[in-house]
């Protein structure tokens, strides 16, 4: 039975969706605490997330980024916000699809079924979903390890978050503000010094497996990762 985590603050809509989707033998968990979404996600380990944008405290874009820092679990946004910019932001923040309220229940179910088939079923890629690869460099998302040509290094949570962001944005500059937001976990404030320390540690872990000078400082802008390991 596939599991779906439903993050919706309108109880009537949430209950209706839950009742409808359970008819198709999905295991549905409704969000319980809106300030503990990541913790609930990790405990439930869903196959897919349905995510509203307008939520208490932080919006759906924020929670999508937080979940994307630790998982590739497919995310479908469901929102009454129907502007093109909202849909663009949903995709740019890591969403896989966008459904506008009011919605047709059959359309929701069809989109869920399509994504489930693509990710977990007959159309699934032969590449493991928990593996992020750039040529011979592999980031193991579940084990939080990075490896190259048989050499591997175990990453801390912050090192993993940073390296995943760099690999997903190869050759693109990531601002310090963006990276600080990635590391901030709602409980511990992250300052510039903490970011610098973790960047240094990621560089050291990469050097340990034979990747040198791939994370570069871009003065006045932030950092970017370039492919140096293919040239070595």
């Amino acid at each position: 039975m596939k599991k779906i985590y439903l993050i919706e603050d309108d109880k009537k809509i949430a209950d209706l969706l839950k009742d409808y989707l359970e008819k198709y033998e999905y295991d549905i968990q409704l969000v319980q605490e809106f300030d503990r979404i990541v913790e609930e996600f990790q405990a439930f380990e869903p196959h897919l997330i349905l995510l509203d944008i307008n939520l208490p405290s932080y919006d759906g874009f924020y929670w999508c980024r937080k979940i994307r820092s630790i998982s590739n679990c497919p995310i479908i946004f469901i929102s009454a916000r129907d502007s093109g910019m909202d849909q663009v932001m949903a995709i740019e923040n890591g969403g896989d699809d966008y459904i506008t309220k009011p919605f047709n229940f059959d359309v929701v179910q069809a989109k869920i079924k399509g994504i489930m088939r693509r990710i977990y079923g007959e159309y699934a890629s032969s590449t493991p979903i928990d593996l992020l690869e750039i040529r011979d460099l592999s980031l193991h998302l579940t084990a939080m390890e990075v490896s190259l040509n048989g050499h591997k290094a175990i990453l801390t949570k912050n090192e993993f978050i940073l390296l995943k962001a760099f690999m997903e944005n190869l050759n693109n500059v990531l601002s310090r503000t963006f990276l600080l937001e990635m590391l901030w976990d709602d409980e511990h404030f992250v300052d510039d010094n903490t970011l610098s320390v973790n960047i240094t540690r990621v560089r050291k872990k990469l050097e340990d497996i034979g990747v040198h000078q791939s994370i570069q400082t871009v003065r006045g802008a932030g950092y970017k990762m370039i492919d140096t390991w293919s040239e070595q």
Side-chain angles (χ1 to χ4, degrees):
M1 181 179 289
K2 293 293 190 292
K3 299 189 292 184
I4 296 175
Y5 183 31
L6 176 52
I7 307 170
E8 166 65 65
D9 65 340
D10 186 318
K11 190 175 188 307
K12 182 178 179 180
I13 292 177
D15 288 341
L16 286 171
L17 262 175
K18 183 176 187 294
D19 291 343
Y20 178 82
L21 292 174
E22 284 178 341
K23 296 176 183 177
Y24 292 88
E25 299 185 346
Y26 291 115
D27 180 8
I28 311 298
Q29 176 171 307
L30 303 183
V31 61
Q32 300 299 308
E33 299 181 53
F34 286 96
D35 58 347
R36 294 180 58 82
I37 285 175
V38 172
E39 289 87 345
E40 290 186 6
F41 164 78
Q42 291 176 314
F44 185 50
E45 297 184 339
H47 296 89
L48 182 140
I49 297 169
L50 295 177
L51 176 62
D52 193 7
I53 294 177
N54 295 326
L55 298 170
S57 300
Y58 300 99
D59 65 21
F61 301 136
Y62 169 86
W63 289 115
C64 186
R65 292 195 303 273
K66 298 297 284 186
I67 291 169
R68 274 289 164 266
S69 71
I70 59 173
S71 173
N72 277 340
C73 178
I75 298 173
I76 299 177
F77 278 88
I78 297 183
S79 175
R81 292 162 61 165
D82 59 0
S83 75
M85 182 53 65
D86 285 316
Q87 296 182 43
V88 169
M89 288 181 64
I91 301 303
E92 288 188 343
N93 280 280
D96 295 277
D97 207 337
Y98 194 101
I99 299 173
T100 303
K101 299 176 184 176
F103 51 78
N104 182 296
F105 285 96
D106 291 335
V107 171
V108 175
Q109 194 274 334
K111 285 181 175 288
I112 291 172
K113 183 178 179 181
I115 288 180
M116 291 288 195
R117 291 171 67 189
R118 188 180 78 244
I119 302 298
Y120 307 108
E122 60 192 276
Y123 302 136
S125 168
S126 59
T127 301
I129 191 171
D130 67 339
L131 194 65
L132 176 58
E133 294 181 297
I134 301 178
R135 287 169 277 282
D136 294 326
L137 184 67
S138 300
L139 181 63
H140 304 263
L141 306 183
T142 301
M144 291 203 302
E145 294 179 348
V146 60
S147 62
L148 177 71
N149 300 328
H151 302 284
K152 70 178 181 179
I154 298 174
L155 305 169
T156 66
K157 177 183 175 183
N158 283 349
E159 292 165 358
F160 170 77
I161 290 171
L162 290 172
L163 183 54
K164 183 171 182 288
F166 283 125
M167 290 180 66
E168 289 178 337
N169 295 276
L170 191 69
N171 298 319
N172 295 324
V173 177
L174 301 182
S175 70
R176 295 184 69 88
T177 300
F178 174 83
L179 294 173
L180 285 167
E181 187 175 272
M182 293 284 289
L183 294 181
W184 183 46
D185 63 4
D186 301 331
E187 296 178 4
H188 302 97
F189 176 73
V190 178
D191 58 22
D192 251 19
N193 184 61
T194 302
L195 175 61
S196 298
V197 168
N198 279 278
I199 291 288
T200 298
R201 290 174 176 169
V202 172
R203 285 169 168 159
K204 177 64 167 59
K205 293 289 178 69
L206 290 174
E207 288 174 359
D208 289 344
I209 63 171
V211 178
H212 302 283
Q213 300 181 333
S214 65
I215 297 180
Q216 301 184 344
T217 301
V218 182
R219 293 192 178 278
Y223 302 90
K224 70 175 180 179
M225 184 177 194
I226 62 172
D227 176 5
T228 58
W229 55 93
S230 296
E231 304 167 358
Q232 296 171 5

